[in-house]
Amino acid sequence: MVHPLILFGILLCTRGTLSMKTLNHVAVRTGGNVTIPCLYDEQYKLHPKYWCVGLLWISCQINAYTNKTDKWQVTDYPAKNIFTVQLNNLSPSDSGYHWCAVEIGTHANPDDKESLYLTVKTDPDVSVVNSRVTGLEGGNISVQCLYSSGHKTTFKQWCRFKDKICYTEGRTDTSQNSSVQISDDRRESFTVVMTGLRESDSGWYWCSVGDLQVPVQLFVLLDTENDRSSDNAGSVSPTCENHQMARHDTEDCFPDTTSEHRNGILLLLWIAGPLLLLLMLVLLTWRIKRKHNGALVTQAPDATSMTGGPLCYDTVVFKEGKGRDQDKISTQSPADQDCEVLYSAVKLH
């Protein structure tokens, strides 16, 4: 007979404390990826989180730490009291016991932890078509869970991770204000339909067939098209804050400034266009007038041919005419012809 203290020690080495929550038995396809959610207690928000591999906790090997990029990645979301472990390119050798853990590091209060069993097979007994599903608030989503032929009569469920509430096949249940219905076609798949979605329905779920589970992450977004009509321009949908844990960036999470920029450019062109045209006309007029005045001076009458003496005109008068009386030039000479004056004035008439 096993001594009670020895039995207690074995259980302590193989199971975690009550505050940590994760799945029990996850099925994955060979070469595939899976994200495991780990829910921890509020008091451990600032503690490091890690992923440990091994049958016994006392001898498990740490494979990934919080926000440390490696083959497997642990990402913490303190606002939700949850961290996720992304397992990539899995092989059958990865099958076995794995642990979600929070580092506490004292003898009196050991690390918080919880184990799960991972089964990696070429043809897993349970899988899902999409492990990430998005729906709009008030709308509906559908999740298709697949199973092998040997599980046609096995009990099927759809469970919510945060409180481990499960919805069973053939019944219509209520998840807060949404309706959940499960139907099995008995041909290696069952379908979960959730209608009347609420933002509070966002989070982690899993399909289960017997004791096998596959995690699914659900995002419920606001209907931004209707929301924009009532919000102020440029405001950010609160959906972005509510789903920061998902890293599920969509263009609805950001204000649409494209049309505003386009309108600003059109307004600038509308104002600047006429001003630019006016400036060009002023410059053109100035150039024509300058050229015309230059021609006027160079076409001044030859003083020598008219008087035989030096250039002494102090005034040149230019008169514009039409027809035969085209542009004429006349001069007005000073009384004293001994002076040497070169066009001291030019008059236009």
Side-chain angles (χ1 to χ4, degrees):
M1 181 177 179
V2 180
H3 194 281
L5 290 177
I6 297 177
L7 180 60
F8 176 77
I10 293 174
L11 292 174
L12 185 63
C13 290
T14 58
R15 299 303 299 167
T17 59
L18 296 177
S19 64
M20 181 70 71
K21 293 179 182 178
T22 189
L23 306 178
N24 297 322
H25 189 176
V26 178
V28 189
R29 188 180 304 277
T30 300
N33 308 325
V34 67
T35 301
I36 305 295
C38 304
L39 188 65
Y40 56 84
D41 193 84
E42 175 85 15
Q43 62 181 318
Y44 300 136
K45 282 181 179 291
L46 302 180
H47 288 247
K49 284 79 180 179
Y50 61 95
W51 182 254
C52 203
V53 180
L55 173 61
L56 301 179
W57 166 253
I58 196 170
S59 61
C60 74
Q61 178 182 354
I62 298 175
N63 278 20
Y65 255 102
T66 309
N67 302 326
K68 202 171 183 180
T69 302
D70 207 335
K71 174 186 175 182
W72 296 348
Q73 186 172 0
V74 176
T75 306
D76 190 16
Y77 304 96
K80 301 291 184 179
N81 293 344
I82 196 171
F83 70 91
T84 61
V85 185
Q86 177 71 40
L87 307 177
N88 303 316
N89 194 24
L90 291 165
S91 65
S93 62
D94 294 316
S95 297
Y97 281 98
H98 297 249
W99 300 76
C100 297
V102 173
E103 186 177 272
I104 300 172
T106 65
H107 292 290
N109 190 11
D111 292 355
D112 192 8
K113 56 195 175 291
E114 178 69 311
S115 68
L116 64 89
Y117 193 85
L118 186 67
T119 298
V120 182
K121 296 172 60 177
T122 303
D123 295 311
D125 291 327
V126 182
S127 62
V128 292
V129 175
N130 293 307
S131 60
R132 293 165 63 96
V133 183
T134 302
L136 293 177
E137 187 175 34
N140 60 79
I141 57 97
S142 177
V143 179
Q144 189 175 12
C145 306
L146 309 177
Y147 56 84
S148 63
S149 58
H151 290 280
K152 288 183 178 180
T153 59
T154 305
F155 191 60
K156 283 87 177 179
Q157 288 184 309
W158 171 254
C159 300
R160 190 168 59 198
F161 179 70
K162 63 182 178 181
D163 50 19
K164 293 197 173 182
I165 293 179
C166 293
Y167 308 96
T168 59
E169 173 192 356
R171 292 181 54 191
T172 299
D173 296 288
T174 300
S175 169
Q176 296 181 7
N177 288 324
S178 62
S179 175
V180 180
Q181 187 172 21
I182 301 175
S183 59
D184 187 3
D185 62 7
R186 305 296 179 187
R187 291 178 294 183
E188 303 182 2
S189 75
F190 70 92
T191 303
V192 179
V193 176
M194 295 181 65
T195 59
L197 293 171
R198 308 281 291 181
E199 269 199 292
S200 54
D201 290 322
S202 295
W204 288 91
Y205 294 76
W206 72 78
C207 291
S208 70
V209 176
D211 65 341
L212 293 173
Q213 303 164 320
V214 179
V216 176
Q217 191 173 15
L218 169 62
F219 307 99
V220 180
L221 308 178
L222 293 178
D223 188 346
T224 53
E225 292 300 324
N226 295 331
D227 192 54
R228 283 174 186 163
S229 63
S230 59
D231 287 347
N232 293 328
S235 63
V236 181
S237 169
T239 300
C240 303
E241 297 179 358
N242 294 341
H243 297 288
Q244 62 176 335
M245 62 170 288
R247 293 186 177 178
H248 186 66
D249 296 334
T250 63
E251 62 185 5
D252 291 332
C253 288
F254 302 95
D256 182 9
T257 58
T258 304
S259 59
E260 295 177 5
H261 292 169
R262 188 186 302 114
N263 293 338
I265 292 174
L266 292 175
L267 180 61
L268 180 62
L269 292 176
W270 186 79
I271 295 175
L275 292 178
L276 183 61
L277 182 61
L278 179 61
L279 179 61
M280 292 176 64
L281 290 174
V282 171
L283 289 175
L284 183 61
T285 303
W286 177 76
R287 287 175 62 88
I288 293 173
K289 185 174 181 180
R290 182 180 179 186
K291 183 176 181 181
H292 190 67
N293 289 343
L296 170 66
V297 174
T298 57
Q299 294 175 3
D302 186 353
T304 304
S305 63
M306 296 175 62
T307 64
L311 298 174
C312 292
Y313 303 108
D314 66 345
T315 303
V316 176
V317 179
F318 177 79
K319 295 182 179 181
E320 295 182 348
K322 296 182 179 179
R324 295 181 179 180
D325 297 329
Q326 291 184 351
D327 299 351
K328 296 181 179 180
I329 297 177
S330 62
T331 60
Q332 298 177 2
S333 303
D336 187 0
Q337 292 292 326
D338 293 334
C339 63
E340 295 182 358
V341 178
L342 179 61
Y343 305 129
S344 63
V346 177
K347 293 183 179 180
L348 299 177
H349 289 282

